[in-house]
Amino acid sequence: TSTATPLAFYDDKTTAITKQSYGKGMSYALGFSFKALILTNQINRDIQANRIGSNGFEPTSDAVMLFVKAIYEAHIKNAVTIHTSPFDTYSTLVVTHDIDASSAYDTMHYYSEYEYSIGLRASYFFTTHYFDDGLMSDYYNASNIEKIKEVIKHQHIAGSHSVGHFPDFANSNVFPMGLLGNTNINYHPYNSGKGATVGGSVLGETEVSKKLLEEDLSISIKSFRAGHLCFNEKLINSLDTLGYSNNSTFCAADVLTNFPYQQPKDQSVASPLSHIWEFPITISDVFHGDPITAKNYKKKVDIWLDVIRRNTLNYAPSVLLIHPTRLYKLNAEQDLIKSLSPTIYTTNLDWFADYWRKRASVYFSSKLSNDSLILIVPSAQLPLDTALSFIIHNGKYLKNITASDELGNMIPIKLKIFNTNDMILYFREYKPLTLIKSYSTAQMSIIYFPNPCNDYCNFEFNLAHSSKIRLYISDILGRPFLTLYQGILGEGLHRIPFQTTDLLSGIYFYTFTVDGVSVSKKLMIIKN
């Protein structure tokens, strides 16, 4: 350290990182353990290194890896790296929903229809609670399975959210690994609501939920998220055994990284890697201490947007979790998506996971000659998935950029400037969601009269073109209980009558949905 240049210091002023000339090159010394700052964080064994749990930006591990990347780019002229977002985008938003309550089964179709209307395919994680206990009713039943099938018809992706959604799932004494061969006939966990769960196992929760969803829906379940985000030390072992591919149980701020990573078994850095990739949750509708409500959801959307903006600067993805139990949360999702930059790719977890695996398997080289660079991809890797792309550092100053296989056969590419001086080499442009086909909330003018209502009222609105309409009434907690109209109406002025005879005086809400975009407003009923 007496001759090297210090680049970073610990809080006690001792040197943490140095660089020094070494022969014709440069030497960097990192005064910390990769295991301590990366791997231990990824399995959530750090000693409370994070300041927040979710809905914030905690990129400790990312900062270290981006520092190493910066060293590479500083010393390799026109360094080429494989991009961390699909196509020519800057970042990715992964939209997910946890269906872990009866109210979520009742309301999720509003989210499903909105997302389908704009071309978004989201991930829906279903809790298969097929029994009554002290925590929940047996809401995984024939009626709700039909509701799931409607979500799947809208081309959304199903994942498992466990069987029982137990709050003590992380306790390995209460939930041991267990044995294979579990079914809804022989697996009977139970929680009275007053103590520990009995009869549960990690394999039971992951095996039965997967089997039920696959048999009832005739689909393949690849992704899992534990109830209450409880991470059992044998969870990855179980998912690996059962043929899952993806897990999304950790929070990004808690594990100090926003990027996906491969999970080891036994929640231990000393164990071998599994086939399971972790996709940490970045932002969600869970705000401890100041819950999201119909009055403050716009401020929560601002927090989500700030986290996404920060991640975008690192080309990192953001995983969004919304429990679809209230309609104001749908308004929050709509506001978020409408506020996104068109350079952010929006998709579901399974799609992004498949992309990330393809990205992780690609190997390539580059050759720089004068002011020309060629990206070389071995023919065994071709054809590349068109979602993949590459970043050429300071590529703006090159005269020529091409791509070929090892035999010199040219690969068709697209090029454009990326982040001031870099160039992105890609194969297909991203087409943003079809938001232009939807109404904005400003366009969705609807009134009711008389105001307040007595025994009846009329809703009146004007449509600019033929549109799919839904108008329904919710109680003060945002729970819908009465649909006034659902169907397609043509261009022009429309009036829908509403008889309030069976309702008590009080405050209600009406929600008006046009082509998947919703607006909710207060409805006053005062009886004489």
Side-chain angles (χ1 to χ4, degrees):
T1 57
S2 60
T3 57
T5 302
L7 298 182
F9 297 91
Y10 293 112
D11 54 5
D12 65 358
K13 309 303 182 184
T14 57
T15 304
I17 302 176
T18 65
K19 78 171 183 177
Q20 180 150 252
S21 297
Y22 189 84
K24 295 182 179 180
M26 190 68 66
S27 166
Y28 289 79
L30 309 181
F32 50 81
S33 161
F34 185 88
K35 173 182 175 182
L37 252 63
I38 306 291
L39 302 181
T40 303
N41 297 344
Q42 288 181 349
I43 61 171
N44 204 22
R45 299 290 197 189
D46 60 272
I47 306 174
Q48 298 300 313
N50 56 300
R51 293 162 294 183
I52 55 176
S54 64
N55 287 313
F57 188 62
E58 289 278 21
T60 296
S61 295
D62 297 346
V64 175
M65 296 305 295
L66 290 169
F67 174 76
V68 174
K69 178 187 175 187
I71 293 175
Y72 170 60
E73 292 176 334
H75 295 285
I76 304 299
K77 187 177 181 182
N78 300 120
V80 180
T81 55
I82 190 164
H83 193 29
T84 51
S85 192
F87 307 110
D88 56 338
T89 61
Y90 282 73
S91 182
T92 304
L93 176 65
V94 178
V95 179
T96 71
H97 302 292
D98 285 359
I99 315 303
D100 51 21
S102 295
S103 55
Y105 276 95
D106 293 339
T107 315
M108 66 183 177
H109 67 278
Y110 297 112
Y111 293 74
S112 170
E113 290 173 2
Y114 160 69
E115 290 159 351
Y116 179 74
S117 74
I118 63 172
L120 168 61
R121 307 297 177 257
S123 287
Y124 285 71
F125 288 87
F126 296 99
T127 300
T128 57
H129 203 271
Y130 51 84
F131 51 89
D132 273 309
D133 66 2
L135 299 177
M136 299 183 198
S137 64
D138 55 343
Y139 55 70
Y140 187 77
N141 51 42
S143 174
N144 283 337
I145 290 171
E146 290 303 311
K147 294 176 183 178
I148 299 176
K149 289 179 180 178
E150 290 300 314
V151 171
I152 301 304
K153 284 181 182 178
H154 283 146
Q155 301 174 26
H156 299 299
I157 310 300
S160 165
H161 194 37
S162 77
V163 170
H165 203 267
F166 295 112
D168 49 1
F169 178 68
N171 188 330
S172 57
N173 294 319
V174 176
F175 281 86
M177 177 71 167
L179 299 173
L180 286 170
N182 302 281
T183 69
N184 59 314
I185 303 301
N186 61 28
Y187 181 63
H188 303 292
Y190 183 82
N191 190 299
S192 67
K194 298 179 180 180
T197 303
V198 296
S201 70
V202 182
L203 278 170
E205 291 295 301
T206 51
E207 184 178 16
V208 177
S209 58
K210 189 176 194 291
K211 282 181 178 179
L212 285 174
L213 292 169
E214 289 183 337
E215 292 171 1
D216 292 336
L217 306 176
S218 300
I219 58 174
S220 176
I221 299 296
K222 296 181 179 179
S223 301
F224 181 84
R225 177 177 288 151
H228 294 282
L229 306 184
C230 294
F231 199 100
N232 189 290
E233 65 181 22
K234 296 298 182 182
L235 174 59
I236 298 302
N237 304 46
S238 177
L239 299 180
D240 207 30
T241 299
L242 294 167
Y244 285 89
S245 301
N246 319 307
N247 185 48
S248 184
T249 296
F250 280 142
C251 289
D254 200 13
V255 294
L256 304 165
T257 180
N258 296 279
F259 290 98
Y261 56 92
Q262 205 165 349
Q263 280 276 21
K265 296 182 178 181
D266 304 312
Q267 204 176 357
S268 169
V269 297
S271 295
L273 286 176
S274 69
H275 297 96
I276 307 299
W277 285 74
E278 184 75 26
F279 295 82
I281 302 164
T282 319
I283 49 179
S284 79
D285 60 344
V286 179
F287 290 85
H288 296 292
D290 183 22
I292 187 171
T293 66
K295 293 183 178 180
N296 69 10
Y297 75 83
K298 290 184 179 295
K299 293 182 179 179
K300 305 304 183 183
V301 172
D302 289 339
I303 293 173
W304 292 345
L305 288 168
D306 180 64
V307 175
I308 292 171
R309 178 187 64 81
R310 294 169 184 267
N311 270 340
T312 299
L313 294 174
N314 290 340
Y315 310 143
S318 300
V319 177
L320 168 67
L321 161 60
I322 294 180
H323 300 77
T325 54
R326 297 290 184 270
L327 292 172
Y328 58 77
K329 296 182 188 178
L330 175 57
N331 293 335
E333 180 183 340
Q334 292 170 341
D335 285 359
L336 173 68
I337 290 176
K338 286 185 290 186
S339 300
L340 289 178
S341 164
T343 63
I344 294 177
Y345 186 72
T346 309
T347 187
N348 58 76
L349 187 111
D350 280 26
W351 189 96
F352 187 69
D354 288 345
Y355 155 80
W356 198 266
R357 276 184 167 76
K358 293 170 184 174
R359 177 191 178 278
S361 68
V362 169
Y363 54 95
F364 64 94
S365 60
S366 62
K367 183 178 180 180
L368 184 65
S369 178
N370 297 322
D371 290 331
S372 295
L373 181 140
I374 184 166
L375 175 76
I376 303 169
V377 181
S379 55
Q381 296 267 291
L382 298 175
L384 286 177
D385 189 278
T386 56
L388 298 173
S389 51
F390 301 82
I391 306 296
I392 297 101
H393 187 58
N394 286 326
K396 173 183 175 181
Y397 303 106
L398 292 169
K399 290 183 178 179
N400 193 33
I401 298 173
T402 58
S404 76
D405 64 14
E406 75 278 16
L407 301 177
N409 299 309
M410 302 307 292
I411 302 172
I413 61 170
K414 297 177 181 289
L415 290 166
K416 66 181 178 183
I417 294 176
F418 197 77
N419 195 22
T420 310
N421 294 326
D422 298 340
M423 295 290 289
I424 185 168
L425 184 158
Y426 62 107
F427 306 98
R428 185 157 66 92
E429 293 178 347
Y430 165 55
K431 295 181 180 179
L433 299 173
T434 56
L435 299 180
I436 55 172
K437 293 183 180 180
S438 300
Y439 284 78
S440 69
T441 53
Q443 292 174 301
M444 296 171 61
S445 177
I446 181 171
I447 61 172
Y448 73 91
F449 58 90
N451 182 3
C453 289
N454 189 348
D455 291 327
Y456 76 95
C457 67
N458 291 288
F459 289 92
E460 196 169 273
F461 53 91
N462 190 66
L463 296 179
H465 52 75
S466 179
S467 302
K468 186 177 181 180
I469 302 299
R470 185 191 295 272
L471 177 62
Y472 53 89
I473 308 299
S474 305
D475 63 19
I476 196 165
L477 296 178
R479 297 175 299 200
F481 65 89
L482 178 63
T483 297
L484 300 184
Y485 185 85
Q486 181 175 342
I488 295 175
L489 292 175
E491 177 184 351
L493 183 67
H494 298 274
R495 178 179 294 180
I496 296 175
F498 175 31
Q499 293 290 333
T500 66
T501 308
D502 296 331
L503 298 182
L504 299 175
S505 296
I507 298 175
Y508 299 83
F509 290 92
Y510 66 91
T511 299
F512 183 49
T513 302
V514 183
D515 290 341
V517 178
S518 300
V519 61
S520 295
K521 294 184 179 180
K522 186 184 298 184
L523 172 69
M524 289 289 297
I525 297 178
I526 299 178
K527 299 296 182 70
N528 293 331

